[in-house]
Amino acid sequence: MNLQKTFKESYMKELRDNVVSEVNLPLYGQETFELGPSQIKRLANVYEPEGLEKKMEGLENDDFKAAITLYEAFPNISPLLASTEAFWSYLCHTSLFHYAQKRWPAVMDGDVTSDYILDHWFVGRQGLLRNAGASLWWGIHNTIDEERQNPYELSQILFDNYNFRIINFGRSLLIRHKEAMIGILQFCLDNKQELSHAFDPRAKFISIYFNRLGGTKQLSSLNRDFFYSECERIKDRIMSITSREQVTNADEVFSV
C-alpha cells in the first residue's frame, strides 16, 4: 500500500492565495487539477485507500452514503489529521475532485466566487464543516456508535436533516463532541414522530441551548447520558418551538 499524500503547507497557502485573488478560479471547472511532485508530501503511517475516486462516483446526491464511503476509506486517521486543512484540501484537489465538482456544481458554470471555492475545496468561512470531504468524515466520526447493531443509525438522522448538520450545528462545537451528538441524536430518534413537525427550528433551538449552557458548564467532560437527559428535561420547551422566528426573537426560551 502507498502512503497517503497531502499538500505541503506552503503550496496550500499558494493555492489559497490564488483563489482569494481569483487567479485560478477557472481551474476548478476543468477535468483535472494538475499537481507536481514538489507540491506534496507523504504522511507517516497513513495509507492511501484504493479506488476512492471510483467509490465516490454517483454519490454526490446522497451525503449519507458518500459519508460512509469516505469514512470507511479513512477509519483510523487521527482527529488531529482530520482537523488539518492541507489533508482535506489535497483530497479535494485529487481523489475527491470530481465528487466535489458534482456535489457543488456551480463551479462547472465558471461563475463562482472565491468564497465558494474556499468553503468546499479548502477551509472557508464556516470551517471544516463546509469542506466537501471533511464535512462527511466528521459527520460519521462523531455519530457512529459501534455498540449498535447498525452503527450508522444515529448518523442517518444527522445526514437526513441538512440544516441540522450544517446550519444549526455547523456553527457550534457540538458536532465536534461525539458524546453530545450521540446523546442528542438518541433523543431525536426516541422522539422522531413528535420532532418531525418543525424539526429545523427545534434542532436549532437544541444547538443554541447547549452552546449557551456551555458558558456555565464544561460540556466537553460530560457524557451522552447528560445530553440525552437534558433534552428530556427541556422537552416541553423544545416542542413549543414551531418556527425559526421563535428561536431568533425569543431569548427567554433559552434560559438555562
Side-chain angles (χ1 to χ4, degrees):
M1 296 180 68
N2 297 321
L3 288 173
Q4 176 63 49
K5 300 171 185 174
T6 187
F7 279 144
K8 292 181 178 178
E9 289 290 334
S10 58
Y11 181 65
M12 187 195 70
K13 184 178 184 303
E14 179 184 332
L15 277 183
R16 239 184 170 281
D17 289 345
N18 286 339
V19 170
V20 171
S21 61
E22 302 185 347
V23 170
N24 61 355
L25 297 190
L27 298 181
Y28 290 86
Q30 295 186 359
E31 179 63 23
T32 58
F33 200 100
E34 296 297 329
L35 300 172
S38 65
Q39 299 151 349
I40 59 177
K41 63 181 181 180
R42 296 185 184 274
L43 295 167
N45 302 316
V46 179
Y47 294 93
E48 186 176 272
E50 294 184 7
L52 178 58
E53 182 174 12
K54 183 71 174 176
K55 291 175 182 177
M56 295 294 287
E57 285 182 4
L59 299 182
E60 61 273 5
N61 295 318
D62 192 332
D63 283 356
F64 181 50
K65 288 183 179 179
I68 292 175
T69 299
L70 182 58
Y71 186 79
E72 290 181 348
F74 294 103
N76 299 315
I77 60 174
S78 69
L80 178 61
L81 177 59
S83 299
T84 305
E85 181 177 14
F87 173 69
W88 292 114
S89 184
Y90 173 80
L91 288 177
C92 289
H93 286 79
T94 54
S95 54
L96 295 181
F97 189 65
H98 292 142
Y99 167 79
Q101 286 179 322
K102 294 174 182 176
R103 178 62 181 85
W104 306 102
V107 73
M108 304 302 290
D109 299 334
D111 184 26
V112 293
T113 65
S114 58
D115 281 339
Y116 187 87
I117 300 297
L118 291 175
D119 279 348
H120 304 306
W121 273 260
F122 294 86
V123 174
R125 297 162 296 180
Q126 296 186 43
L128 287 166
L129 297 171
R130 295 289 286 176
N131 177 274
S135 61
L136 303 177
W137 191 91
W138 277 104
I140 296 294
H141 177 73
N142 275 353
T143 58
I144 189 172
D145 187 352
E146 300 288 359
E147 296 179 3
R148 295 172 181 267
Q149 184 175 1
N150 174 9
Y152 300 116
E153 183 177 25
L154 299 181
S155 306
Q156 184 157 15
I157 297 174
L158 187 70
F159 280 90
D160 280 349
N161 298 279
Y162 184 81
N163 287 336
F164 186 50
R165 175 166 58 101
I166 299 298
I167 299 174
N168 297 335
F169 281 84
R171 295 174 183 169
S172 78
L173 296 177
L174 291 178
I175 203 167
R176 300 288 292 274
H177 182 4
K178 182 166 186 168
E179 289 296 297
M181 290 304 300
I182 288 180
I184 292 168
L185 290 171
Q186 183 64 57
F187 171 81
C188 292
L189 180 64
D190 292 346
N191 295 275
K192 186 175 181 179
Q193 194 64 37
E194 293 174 89
L195 284 169
S196 60
H197 173 65
F199 185 91
D200 279 356
R202 287 170 177 172
K204 186 174 183 180
F205 169 82
I206 293 171
S207 175
I208 296 175
Y209 175 84
F210 280 111
N211 278 323
R212 294 193 179 191
L213 189 62
T216 60
K217 287 182 180 290
Q218 189 67 27
L219 297 184
S220 61
S221 65
L222 299 172
N223 64 21
R224 64 192 68 183
D225 293 336
F226 168 81
F227 292 93
Y228 184 92
S229 298
E230 192 67 10
C231 285
E232 282 289 342
R233 188 181 73 81
I234 63 168
K235 182 175 177 178
D236 287 346
R237 274 194 277 171
I238 294 171
M239 297 306 174
S240 73
I241 301 298
T242 59
S243 69
R244 284 182 174 274
E245 288 70 25
Q246 283 178 279
V247 179
T248 303
N249 300 325
D251 281 349
E252 61 270 14
V253 300
F254 294 107
S255 58
V256 297

